[in-house]
Amino acid sequence: MKNTVVLFGFSICLALAVFSGCRKQENKAEVTLKLGHVLDIAHPVHKAMVYMAERVKEKSGGRMIVEIYPGGQLGNEKDSIEALQLGYMAMTKISSAPMEGFVPKMKIFGIPYLFRDSEHFWKVMKGPIGRELLLAGESKGLRGLCYYDAGARSFYAKKAINRPEDLKGLKIRIQSSIMSKKMVDAMGGSPASIPFGELYTAIDQGVVDGAENNPPSFYTSRHYEVCKYYSLDEHTMLPDILAISPKVWNNLTPEFQQILQEAVDESVEYERKIWTEAELNDLKSVQDAGVKVIHPDKQPFRDSVRSIWSEFEGTDIGELIKRIQEVQ
Ligand code: GCU
């Protein structure tokens, strides 16, 4: 009996010690930043953000915490952008496409076949143009912290798309983006804007016949279960962007700003390393699941969107196109 009482007392002490230890640990956080995004936890861009959050915790000794809410728990990309502008949410990771509506210069990424290849893309992103565009939204309540590689986007559908003519009569889901609309229109398809989180059902129920995205997004969203043809025309290279509300950023001490930016920059290098492998693996996984991967001749797709290039001649976007082409 005596032993039982001692053991019971000991257990309570232990539980209290652990509990207060945990509380102490939690209490160490001086700043907690909520980060919402729409991707799955198996997606390489999500993994990069987890890496960033770990680095932030480590570098700050637990005084700054980034809490990540994946899978659209805190809303779709448009909602998240607005939440940042209002300061309700600290950080979000979105595609550059829905940012166009808020930061017009972001339209540049929607110019089909703008970048020669991934090397050209990163040269531009890491250079003055990339930096300029990242901060272009600051006055609109969106401070870009970095770009993550999101590869190239290609069509997937319930039927094979070998040439632009095959898009005729097909309803293709696009992001909330005027440039994506222009592109699908120019290629001959019928664009329909639907949030990413609603897309699986939309395809399954026949609201649209297909969509377009990079291999990790096609795979981790399981859209391959309802679209059995993936046509690698690689029409756009829209970067993913990690953004913070300027209100939140300006409230951080210079030390915390530095820690966050360093952790973000390290996560970019990490993501670039895991991206290529993820693309290859995910392409293989969709093939194993019965998807036919098509490698179409890209020239007819390029030709079909020439009108978009000429439409912007003499505008700010036209100037940016020239500057980007000049980057060697
Ligand atoms: C990519 C991108 C997402 C975006 C999605 C979409 O997966 O990483 O940020 O939401 O495309 O097509 O909506």
Side-chain angles (χ1 to χ4, degrees), residues 38-39 77 93-95 153 173 175 196 213 217 240:
V38 301
L39 297 173
E77 298 203 335
K93 196 293 300 162
I94 62 265
S95 163
R153 296 175 74 97
R173 176 271 176 172
Q175 301 184 76
F196 192 58
N213 218 319
S217 301
D240 270 3

Side-chain angles (χ1 to χ4, degrees), residues 287-316:
Q287 269 169 306
D288 291 348
V291 170
K292 184 166 191 290
V293 174
I294 301 163
H295 294 268
D297 176 7
K298 291 185 196 169
Q299 199 51 48
F301 288 92
R302 268 199 191 98
D303 294 343
S304 70
V305 293
R306 276 280 140 205
S307 58
I308 302 181
W309 284 63
S310 33
E311 184 187 328
F312 286 102
E313 268 167 31
T315 68
D316 284 0

Side-chain angles (χ1 to χ4, degrees), residues 37-40 43 45 76-77 93-98 148-150 153 156 173-176 194-197 199 211-214 216-218 220-221 223 238-241 275:
H37 72 82
V38 301
L39 297 173
D40 185 83
H43 197 287
V45 172
N76 65 38
E77 298 203 335
K93 196 293 300 162
I94 62 265
S95 163
S96 64
Y148 286 125
D149 202 334
R153 296 175 74 97
Y156 49 86
R173 176 271 176 172
I174 52 162
Q175 301 184 76
S176 170
I194 296 175
F196 192 58
L199 184 51
E212 42 86 61
N213 218 319
N214 51 50
S217 301
F218 181 39
T220 57
S221 62
H223 294 165
L238 303 177
D240 270 3
I241 296 176
W275 178 265

Side-chain angles (χ1 to χ4, degrees), residues 154-201:
S154 297
F155 292 111
Y156 49 86
K158 292 184 178 181
K159 60 168 258 198
I161 297 168
N162 292 299
R163 53 193 82 76
E165 291 75 37
D166 295 331
L167 284 159
K168 196 155 188 267
L170 291 192
K171 262 210 179 142
I172 301 294
R173 176 271 176 172
I174 52 162
Q175 301 184 76
S176 170
S177 146
I178 194 81
M179 293 303 284
S180 306
K181 182 180 179 311
K182 281 183 196 294
M183 183 189 73
V184 173
D185 274 338
M187 289 180 175
S190 306
S193 168
I194 296 175
F196 192 58
E198 292 166 28
L199 184 51
Y200 186 102
T201 315

